[in-house]
Amino acid sequence: MTSCNTPVVEGMNVTTNSERLFKLRQEAIRFMLVNHPLDCPICDKGGECRLQDLAFEFGIKENIYHISSQATQIDYLSPLIERNNNRCVRCGRCVSICNEIQGEMAIEWVNHGFEAEILPRGGYPLNCEFCGQCIAICPVGALTNRLFKYKSRVWEMVKVPSVCPYCGGGCAIELNVRKNKVLRVTSDDETTPNQGNLCVRGNFGFGFIHNNNRLHTPLIKRRNDQVPVSWDNALNAAAEHLKKIISASGPDSVAGLGSLRASNEDNFVFQKFFRTTIGTNNVDSPAHFNYRSLERGLEEALGFPGSCSSFADLEKTEVIFVIGSDVRAEMPPASLKIMKATRFHGAKLFVANPISTKLEKFSNLDLRYRPGTELFLITGIIKAIIENGWENQDFIKENVSNFKNLKKSLKSITIQKIAETTSVPAEKIITTAENIAKKETGCIVFGYNVFTHAQAKEVVANLVNLALLTGKVGRKDCGLIPVITKNNCQGMLDMGVMPDLLPGYQKLEDRKTFEKLWGKSLPKKPGKTAEEMLTAIEKGEIKALYIMGCNPLMDFPEPDRWAEALEKLEWLTVQDVFQTEVAEKAHYVFPAATFAEKEGTFTNGERRVQKFTAAIEPYRNALPDWKIIQNLSQLLGYDMNYSHPSEIMEEIASLIPQYKDLTYEKLGRKGIQWPLQDGEDSPYIPLKDLKLSFSSLTFQEPKKVNSGKFYMLTGTTFFHSGTLSTYAQGPNILGNKAWVEVNEEDAKSIGLNEGDNLNISSANGSISAPVKISSVVPRGVIFVPYHFREAKVNKVISRKNYAEVAITKG
Ligand code: SF4
Ligand code: SF4
Ligand code: SF4
């Protein structure tokens, strides 16, 4: 009887170990070893191999059975993963994880019986997402990590608990360290919220930590060169220079840009530095151009500035509506749950996006809409629900106000008009509406194309309308889930890196508590947004800019205008891990430590605050961001004096209501989803904590692009995350150059071949990239990923989720 599939029945006696069982197991292991090469000394799995452990446990010292078999070829062709089927014990775990968890189905069983083996579908080389999960699950050394090959024996390394620094999924990872070097990343399937699942970036993207181009010493600009100096020299010079600017032009002549990737502690200290040490609210971040609209939309429409639900809810919910997001690439943990919900729990899935995404394979219906028409499409679904009387009348009557106004604002528009504008057939809109409305539980998932919409705040408010109309908030397995592509976007906003709100989204008028604790009066008037900073720099009103871990020349619209404006600054300080293009322009450059070299917390897309620990020493002279800011602050006369980031967290917990009672000890391995309720975390936000009122909407019809022109879209790809992953060897092996995806039919009609150079120009600017012919984009649409420096998409797309472009073969 096999224990794993024999049902337990009343009265059954279960023996888990006996002499007979020992012998049976010993025999089973012997059979496994019949054709297993005894190459443990050169196998990377040695020391953590299940078969090796079992052979030891059952005292097997030699192979007593022999067969003549031919060795299979080792796969040296596929990137990142090496397959050695000679070591394979045919357990099938890799096929299961690839199929059932990752939904990729990239490997399969071939042949039967003794000849059975596992091969990449379609043959070598392996062509998949390279999530690396098959390596993690393989009990033996049949699948190994090429980046780790021969780097260390596993017992020589220590595993340091940490959090992935890439997307808003916030997967818990372990940095495997030897001699102050991170050699690989693993994750534990029992103690982590991600159940040990990682994506390619988490598994293979850690290489940036040891990139040779890391900034390692402070730099000061002398004439046109940046010269290395000591920390004392750099900080003293920067402080003296800044003092002069403040005394001549006042504190509002100084501004700062915070980081979506830095820790909560770093960002908290950064905004505090501006409000106390300098005395201005001029502090913002790249979120101004995207995620801030999400926060504003949710705060205004629902009274809650983040996801009111959790990834876990996605798994058990009955209907999922995804709009404007390639969830698989943007925030993989949410997509794993969505795939599981559809395949194992019968959830209905509706995916609306202008280009094809992986989730469509699992959807009941895909709604391919014209770029920029998100607001119309959601309105169509709402309209169909109301016209058919499918709204949740009891829920609305009991909980939600303003229903009449919502109905009124929809009067002037018809579903036919919406179908025409969006290019989504009316029947598809109605079916989606019926399913969202009639299922008892449901989640709405929205991402990059929503945050970057010209009316992003209104789109989010309309999604809230849809959730309220169908009663899909305030309960388990219901809610709105934003798909966040940068790891600490939620945390940075929670920490108050915004010109108009204090930490915890508290109003500037409510600054008394802060003033008391910080011993300083805080500025009353709101500061300048990132966009307003640009104009103020051009006008000479802002003379000093402190940039921490962000890059306006890659992340912001109008990079050329920024490049010119930065030249006008009297004081530009860039604090970063790498010498970016903006750091090259700086008067002072401060080298910062990576997440692997310091301690702190990140808050992920489901409000989960998680702690990471220092695994290695900071690279040469690099320092944690909070420490650099504190040192500068002391020289400027405001005495910040934290000796450890846990003290910053204590202050955060005392000032930010959502983080009340949080301490490093309480966070544990799984972290905590804020706000703490009776000492427990909040996987979903109950109705009593939400504002429940429909928003009336006004919207402009998006113009169609002119004939002969194309829609250009951008976004993240599965192998990269922002520009950070372009400094890491793993993701770069899979692709390190920009490309433009063009529909097959369009390519044929223009006479484009794979690899041809394509010039792309909009009213804002031009770029060029080699063509990739693809069925992912529909006719009339092209896609260029935003990671690569040689094709800066922010030159072409500005303050919208698409650009109208002309394309020519170049
Ligand atoms: S790396 Fe991931 S996607 Fe590729 S074969 Fe392994 S499990 Fe499947
Ligand atoms: S998980 Fe490893 S041992 Fe098991 S079938 Fe796959 S390659 Fe073979
Ligand atoms: S990038 Fe996101 S999904 Fe991938 S391992 Fe990191 S946190 Fe997890």
Side-chain angles (χ1 to χ4, degrees):
M1 302 283 255
T2 47
S3 58
C4 56
N5 63 357
T6 303
V8 176
V9 290
E10 186 77 20
M12 181 189 265
N13 243 332
V14 181
T15 309
T16 57
N17 219 342
S18 68
E19 207 177 311
R20 191 167 155 243
L21 276 173
F22 185 88
K23 283 204 173 129
L24 283 169
R25 285 174 185 152
Q26 193 178 45
E27 200 63 358
I29 305 298
R30 276 200 183 113
F31 280 127
M32 277 188 184
L33 288 167
V34 164
N35 58 353
H36 191 90
L38 297 181
D39 63 351
C40 302
I42 55 149
C43 176
D44 270 344
K45 198 74 178 180
E48 56 179 6
C49 172
R50 189 79 184 114
L51 188 60
Q52 195 181 48
D53 291 348
L54 288 169
F56 182 73
E57 187 181 336
F58 288 92
I60 300 167
K61 296 185 185 128
E62 57 185 338
N63 273 355
I64 56 170
Y65 303 119
H66 297 281
I67 52 151
S68 61
S69 69
Q70 231 184 335
T72 60
Q73 253 188 345
I74 301 171
D75 170 22
Y76 294 120
L77 290 177
S78 305
L80 301 176
I81 298 172
E82 187 170 297
R83 173 174 288 276
N84 181 347
N85 271 352
N86 301 302
R87 295 183 186 147
C88 174
V89 294
R90 276 69 172 164
C91 65
R93 284 166 156 215
C94 55
V95 178
S96 297
I97 203 161
C98 188
N99 179 351
E100 291 162 27
I101 307 289
Q102 301 297 331
E104 183 68 354
M105 294 151 249
I107 44 180
E108 60 184 350
W109 285 103
V110 292
N111 300 330
H112 293 280
F114 201 67
E115 311 255 287
E117 66 175 326
I118 288 157
L119 293 177
R121 201 176 282 267
Y124 289 116
L126 177 64
N127 179 12
C128 68
E129 288 180 347
F130 293 96
C131 64
Q133 287 305 99
C134 49
I135 305 177
I137 201 86
C138 181
V140 294
L143 293 166
T144 45
N145 179 335
R146 279 190 193 284
L147 299 184
F148 178 61
K149 200 171 174 184
Y150 304 147
K151 292 263 164 62
S152 171
R153 303 308 320 205
V154 293
W155 57 85
E156 295 174 317
M157 300 187 291
V158 284
K159 288 185 176 184
V160 182
S162 190
V163 181
C164 174
Y166 281 114
C167 86
C171 295
I173 56 173
E174 297 148 344
L175 299 173
N176 290 222
V177 177
R178 179 178 168 231
K179 292 190 180 162
N180 208 36
K181 269 210 147 181
V182 179
L183 296 178
R184 69 168 181 180
V185 164
T186 48
S187 185
D188 172 14
D189 58 350
E190 277 172 15
T191 59
T192 60
N194 44 306
Q195 288 105 29
N197 295 313
L198 300 177
C199 77
V200 57
R201 301 170 294 218
N203 254 321
F204 298 108
F206 60 91
F208 72 89
I209 301 167
H210 300 296
N211 186 303
N212 289 338
N213 294 325
R214 283 276 307 271
L215 281 169
H216 57 81
T217 192
L219 304 171
I220 290 188
K221 195 176 231 176
R222 298 222 170 102
R223 294 200 184 86
N224 284 329
D225 291 330
Q226 289 174 326
V227 294
V229 290
S230 68
W231 269 115
D232 278 352
N233 283 349
L235 288 167
N236 278 318
E240 286 311 310
H241 192 170
L242 194 55
K243 272 185 200 163
K244 279 187 197 145
I245 293 172
I246 297 171
S247 78
S249 311
D252 285 333
S253 64
V254 187
L257 293 166
S259 169
L260 303 171
R261 294 226 184 265
S263 70
N264 288 328
E265 292 74 2
D266 296 330
N267 276 306
F268 180 82
V269 171
F270 188 70
Q271 62 78 37
K272 182 176 172 181
F273 171 85
F274 277 90
R275 294 187 159 120
T276 55
T277 317
I278 307 288
T280 179
N281 281 315
N282 286 344
V283 59
D284 205 0
S285 74
H288 171 75
F289 300 104
N290 36 57
Y291 303 104
R292 190 69 211 281
S293 319
L294 141 84
E295 178 270 315
R296 280 212 183 108
L298 286 177
E299 175 67 49
E300 281 175 28
L302 203 58
F304 191 77
S307 166
C308 58
S309 182
S310 299
F311 301 155
D313 287 326
L314 284 167
E315 192 178 323
K316 296 286 169 60
T317 196
E318 292 170 47
V319 59
I320 302 164
F321 176 51
V322 175
I323 179 160
S325 174
D326 179 354
V327 191
R328 188 73 192 117
E330 292 169 26
M331 197 171 74
S335 77
L336 296 189
K337 298 288 184 197
I338 294 174
M339 289 188 283
K340 203 164 174 193
T342 60
R343 298 162 88 204
F344 298 101
H345 302 291
K348 300 271 185 222
L349 174 63
F350 298 85
V351 178
N353 203 48
I355 66 175
S356 175
T357 66
K358 179 172 173 180
L359 278 185
E360 277 175 20
K361 200 159 72 177
F362 304 92
S363 71
N364 296 76
L365 211 56
D366 59 81
L367 295 85
R368 178 87 59 253
Y369 62 80
R370 187 159 69 75
T373 61
E374 289 82 0
L375 194 49
F376 270 69
L377 181 60
I378 305 159
T379 303
I381 295 171
I382 291 177
K383 179 97 182 167
I385 291 173
I386 295 176
E387 269 183 6
N388 288 286
W390 292 327
E391 70 272 18
N392 188 335
Q393 285 169 2
D394 293 343
F395 179 83
I396 297 170
K397 234 182 253 161
E398 273 171 42
N399 304 297
V400 198
S401 59
N402 221 12
F403 188 37
K404 268 193 194 147
N405 284 352
L406 174 73
K407 284 207 275 194
K408 210 165 122 199
S409 64
L410 296 171
K411 257 198 180 139
S412 57
I413 193 141
T414 65
I415 292 187
Q416 252 46 52
K417 172 73 188 158
I418 287 165
E420 258 168 49
T421 311
T422 58
S423 309
V424 178
E427 310 75 64
K428 282 195 174 186
I429 297 177
I430 295 166
T431 310
T432 309
E434 184 172 9
N435 274 278
I436 299 176
K438 289 192 173 168
K439 296 286 176 197
E440 180 56 27
T441 55
C443 288
I444 297 170
V445 180
F446 54 107
Y448 188 77
N449 285 319
V450 169
F451 310 145
T452 49
H453 190 280
Q455 283 182 280
K457 204 174 69 159
E458 286 79 1
V459 183
V460 175
N462 215 14
L463 287 171
V464 173
N465 280 340
L466 177 59
L468 294 178
L469 194 66
T470 54
K472 302 289 189 296
V473 283
R475 287 185 291 136
K476 198 171 161 344
D477 303 333
C478 288
L480 294 128
I481 301 179
V483 178
I484 297 182
T485 54
K486 299 274 171 70
N487 60 325
N488 202 32
C489 173
Q490 180 71 52
M492 188 208 67
L493 294 176
D494 296 346
M495 295 305 118
V497 181
M498 297 177 275
D500 53 341
L501 291 175
L502 292 167
Y505 308 94
Q506 296 174 78
K507 295 199 178 89
L508 295 177
E509 302 89 76
D510 301 332
R511 59 189 178 278
K512 278 260 153 10
T513 336
F514 293 87
E515 291 181 332
K516 206 166 149 205
L517 193 74
W518 292 347
K520 189 113 197 229
S521 349
L522 300 189
K524 295 186 188 63
K525 68 170 182 25
K528 293 193 165 53
T529 63
E531 207 174 351
E532 290 163 350
M533 284 177 197
L534 174 59
T535 317
I537 298 169
E538 288 171 333
K539 285 186 182 160
E541 291 163 12
I542 286 182
K543 298 183 186 311
L545 185 65
Y546 188 175
I547 301 181
M548 175 178 79
C550 88
N551 181 354
L553 303 183
M554 276 303 283
D555 301 339
F556 292 6
E558 304 183 272
D560 294 341
R561 212 179 128 203
W562 270 97
E564 219 171 285
L566 294 177
E567 300 291 343
K568 292 195 175 156
L569 288 165
E570 290 173 24
W571 188 96
L572 172 62
T573 293
V574 174
Q575 181 168 309
D576 209 311
V577 170
F578 293 105
Q579 177 75 332
T580 59
E581 40 281 85
V582 69
E584 275 165 17
K585 291 180 175 293
H587 303 104
Y588 306 94
V589 179
F590 298 156
T594 63
F595 79 109
E597 298 152 346
K598 63 185 181 187
E599 202 163 340
T601 57
F602 293 138
T603 305
N604 80 353
E606 54 170 2
R607 297 169 281 105
R608 189 180 295 280
V609 188
Q610 298 182 99
K611 186 171 167 296
F612 55 91
T613 22
I616 54 173
E617 291 297 316
Y619 181 57
R620 297 173 71 175
N621 291 318
L623 285 176
D625 287 293
W626 65 267
K627 221 175 221 172
I628 306 172
I629 306 162
Q630 170 164 298
N631 292 346
L632 186 63
S633 179
Q634 284 168 352
L635 293 171
L636 287 164
Y638 182 78
D639 190 21
M640 288 192 202
N641 214 351
Y642 307 106
S643 61
H644 191 267
S646 60
E647 293 171 14
I648 307 173
M649 179 47 82
E650 268 171 42
E651 192 170 315
I652 290 171
S654 73
L655 286 171
I656 300 184
Q658 295 87 342
Y659 285 62
K660 189 167 178 275
D661 295 333
L662 276 189
T663 60
Y664 276 11
E665 293 71 45
K666 269 196 194 146
L667 288 175
R669 186 62 180 127
K670 289 207 163 156
I672 287 180
Q673 286 177 273
W674 65 254
L676 246 72
Q677 312 222 2
D678 305 324
E680 297 290 318
D681 63 355
S682 310
Y684 68 89
I685 306 303
L687 281 183
K688 69 173 176 51
D689 295 333
L690 299 173
K691 181 178 104 183
L692 302 166
S693 171
F694 288 110
S695 313
S696 326
L697 294 166
T698 49
F699 34 82
Q700 311 112 26
E701 185 174 340
K703 259 186 29 201
K704 283 193 179 152
V705 296
N706 291 312
S707 137
K709 297 283 178 72
F710 280 72
Y711 289 94
M712 176 180 137
L713 299 175
T714 187
T716 190
T717 61
F718 190 68
F719 299 144
H720 281 282
S721 172
T723 50
L724 183 62
S725 57
T726 63
Y727 294 97
Q729 187 194 5
N732 279 342
I733 288 175
L734 301 171
N736 61 357
K737 289 267 175 307
W739 67 85
V740 46
E741 290 190 38
V742 181
N743 177 276
E744 218 170 336
E745 298 295 312
D746 283 335
K748 230 185 254 167
S749 69
I750 308 167
L752 287 173
N753 293 313
E754 185 87 10
D756 282 351
N757 199 48
L758 193 69
N759 297 322
I760 306 160
S761 39
S762 73
N764 307 304
S766 308
I767 52 169
S768 63
V771 168
K772 195 187 251 183
I773 294 173
S774 137
S775 55
V776 162
V777 287
R779 288 208 70 170
V781 177
I782 59 169
F783 175 86
V784 188
Y786 57 38
H787 315 289
F788 304 104
R789 294 187 154 72
E790 71 274 15
K792 288 184 181 165
V793 293
N794 57 338
K795 275 183 153 187
V796 178
I797 301 184
S798 185
R799 307 308 317 267
K800 259 187 183 179
N801 56 10
Y802 69 91
E804 175 176 330
V805 294
I807 59 173
T808 49
K809 193 169 160 178

